[in-house]
Amino acid sequence: VQLQASGGGLVQAGGSLRLSCAASGRTFSNYAMGWFHQAPGKEREFVAGISRSGGSTDYADSVKGRFTISRDNAKNTVYLEMNSLKPEDTAVYYCAARRAIMTSPIIQRPGRYNYWGQGTLVTVSS
C-alpha cells in the first residue's frame, strides 16, 4: 500500500493542525494505521494508532486529550487532528500501515508497521 501524508506546516503554540494520510494500492480497511513522529536527533516515536474499523484507538501519553486519530475507509484516508500544539510537538510526522486482523490490538512499535508515508513537517513556534 502507498501512503501520502499531508497537512503539516508552521503554527503557533496553542494552535491546531489536521494531518491527512491517503492510501492507495491495497484494501485500506485491511490495515491498522498509525501516526509517528521523529524530531531531529531522536528516534521515531508512536503518536496515535487506530484499528481497521476505527473502533479502537490508542495514544501516546504526551498527546492524550490533545490529538485525535480517525479514519474514513470509504475515502482510504486516516487523519490526525492536533490541538493545543506545543513546541515539543515539532517533528516530522509519518503515517504507517500494518496488515492486521480485526481483533488485533493497536501496536506502538514502529518496526511492526509494514508501509510508511514520506512524512510531513510540523513546526510549532513558541
Side-chain angles (χ1 to χ4, degrees), residues 28-34 50-52 71 96-100 113:
F28 181 65
S29 59
N30 287 342
Y31 294 83
M33 301 297 295
I50 190 166
S51 61
R52 285 176 51 179
R71 66 189 295 162
R98 59 179 294 269
R99 186 72 184 260
Y113 287 76

Side-chain angles (χ1 to χ4, degrees), residues 4-110:
Q4 180 73 36
S6 61
L10 174 63
V11 63
Q12 288 188 332
S16 299
L17 281 175
R18 188 193 198 201
L19 305 184
S20 299
C21 175
S24 62
R26 300 286 178 92
T27 304
F28 181 65
S29 59
N30 287 342
Y31 294 83
M33 301 297 295
W35 285 98
F36 295 78
H37 69 195
Q38 187 167 19
K42 295 188 176 182
E43 293 185 350
R44 194 167 297 188
E45 297 178 333
F46 174 81
V47 175
I50 190 166
S51 61
R52 285 176 51 179
S53 67
S56 296
T57 57
D58 190 24
Y59 297 91
D61 288 343
S62 60
V63 307
K64 282 180 181 177
R66 299 189 298 123
F67 291 10
T68 303
I69 187 171
S70 61
R71 66 189 295 162
D72 185 336
N73 285 346
K75 295 183 177 180
N76 293 347
T77 303
V78 62
Y79 305 97
L80 185 68
E81 186 76 34
M82 304 187 295
N83 298 313
S84 302
L85 282 161
K86 304 176 181 180
E88 51 263 43
D89 294 320
T90 295
V92 177
Y93 283 73
Y94 298 89
C95 59
R98 59 179 294 269
R99 186 72 184 260
I101 60 176
M102 287 296 290
T103 56
S104 176
I106 294 168
I107 303 297
Q108 297 191 358
R109 288 171 54 192

